[in-house]
Amino acid sequence: MRFISALLVLSALALSGCARTDHIGKAPSFTPTTNNQEHYAMMNPPLPTQASVSRRSDTASLWSRNRQSLLGDRRAASRGDILTVVIEVDEKAQIDNESERNRSGSETLSVPQLIGLPQRLNSKLPAGATTDPLVDFSSDSKSSGDGSVKRSEKLTLRVAATVVDVLPNGVLAIQGTQELRVNFELRELLVSGYVRSEDVSRQNEITFDKIASARVSYGGRGQITDMQQPRVGQQVLDAVLPF
């Protein structure tokens, strides 16, 4: 059992180190743009749901709905189409909580005629000393709490996304990736979600607030990111140690 546990830990450490060995002595490598979901959507267009009869006038007319015409609708509507996602996040949140509680209590119990014991003890005590009261209880407790949460986030980005699927109700599933390498640091931007075709503007753009189940990841990998992240062993100890 110990051997298996040690083997699992070593495997996890080896896998975590593979991502860092990619940019040892060189800049991080870009993620391949082939054999992913976006490339598959572009290379495999969906089959038409109904047969359409083409006419020569459709391509020659300026008022045709065909995308190739002058006034055709070029907004993303089918699998493999590309649209621009505009991400503008400027949010602020501030929460302040404060609580205070005080409680005090005292109890005094006196038995001056307990078989004459107090009188006998008082006579042997120095002047001014007494055994009254024999029992005395007192308690005092105080608790206070103060909490504050303050967050401010601002992000402005634009990324091209691909329609990877069209759901039965006409909603478009989009996914987009963008990578920017500066020296030895690679910045990654990932976005995915679901949009309605009617929410896409005439400029073939969709804003972030109109994307359902939006998932946006803005991070990176490289030498600077490696220095900011704690070592895997330190993360394991932080999660296991109870103190």
Side-chain angles (χ1 to χ4, degrees):
M1 188 66 180
R2 295 181 178 178
F3 176 76
I4 297 177
S5 301
L7 184 61
L8 293 176
V9 173
L10 291 177
S11 301
L13 295 177
L15 291 176
S16 62
C18 292
R20 294 184 175 180
T21 55
D22 173 70
H23 49 268
I24 293 180
K26 65 182 185 68
S29 302
F30 285 106
T31 304
T33 57
T34 58
N35 299 327
N36 55 17
Q37 194 172 3
E38 295 181 66
H39 183 260
Y40 177 81
M42 296 178 185
M43 296 297 296
N44 298 274
L47 296 176
T49 56
Q50 58 183 2
S52 58
V53 180
S54 60
R55 297 175 300 179
R56 294 183 178 180
S57 59
D58 294 338
T59 58
S61 175
L62 296 177
W63 309 101
S64 174
R65 298 178 58 184
N66 194 319
R67 289 190 175 188
Q68 305 302 327
S69 64
L70 180 62
L71 302 178
D73 189 1
R74 294 178 175 83
R75 295 180 296 178
S78 59
R79 189 171 68 184
D81 293 344
I82 298 177
L83 73 160
T84 302
V85 179
V86 181
I87 304 174
E88 294 181 353
V89 180
D90 189 2
E91 299 179 351
K92 294 182 180 180
Q94 184 173 355
I95 302 175
D96 294 327
N97 293 326
E98 184 176 356
S99 62
E100 184 175 355
R101 183 184 67 178
N102 296 324
R103 183 180 65 181
S104 62
S106 62
E107 296 289 340
T108 302
L109 177 62
S110 176
V111 189
Q113 304 297 333
L114 184 59
I115 319 177
L117 291 179
Q119 290 78 2
R120 296 181 181 181
L121 293 176
N122 290 337
S123 61
K124 297 180 179 181
L125 295 176
T130 179
T131 59
D132 188 25
L134 294 179
V135 184
D136 189 3
F137 298 97
S138 63
S139 64
D140 188 9
S141 64
K142 182 178 181 180
S143 64
S144 61
D146 189 5
S148 177
V149 177
K150 186 176 182 180
R151 297 181 57 184
S152 179
E153 299 175 352
K154 187 174 183 180
L155 184 65
T156 302
L157 298 169
R158 296 172 67 92
V159 58
T162 305
V163 179
V164 296
D165 194 12
V166 180
L167 303 185
N169 60 349
V171 175
L172 309 178
I174 64 172
Q175 181 176 333
T177 60
Q178 187 182 83
E179 295 184 355
L180 175 64
R181 187 172 63 191
V182 180
N183 295 334
F184 290 89
E185 189 69 16
L186 184 67
R187 288 298 176 186
E188 299 174 327
L189 174 60
L190 308 176
V191 59
S192 63
Y194 302 93
V195 301
R196 299 187 306 172
S197 57
E198 52 266 27
D199 290 336
V200 182
S201 65
R202 294 289 299 180
Q203 291 76 25
N204 198 30
E205 295 180 351
I206 185 73
T207 56
F208 174 74
D209 57 336
K210 296 180 181 179
I211 302 177
S213 299
R215 300 292 185 270
V216 178
S217 174
Y218 183 69
R221 49 189 170 92
Q223 296 181 355
I224 299 177
T225 304
D226 291 345
M227 297 302 297
Q228 293 177 343
Q229 293 293 330
R231 298 300 181 182
V232 179
Q234 182 179 354
Q235 298 180 19
V236 173
L237 292 179
D238 291 341
V240 174
L241 295 179
F243 50 84

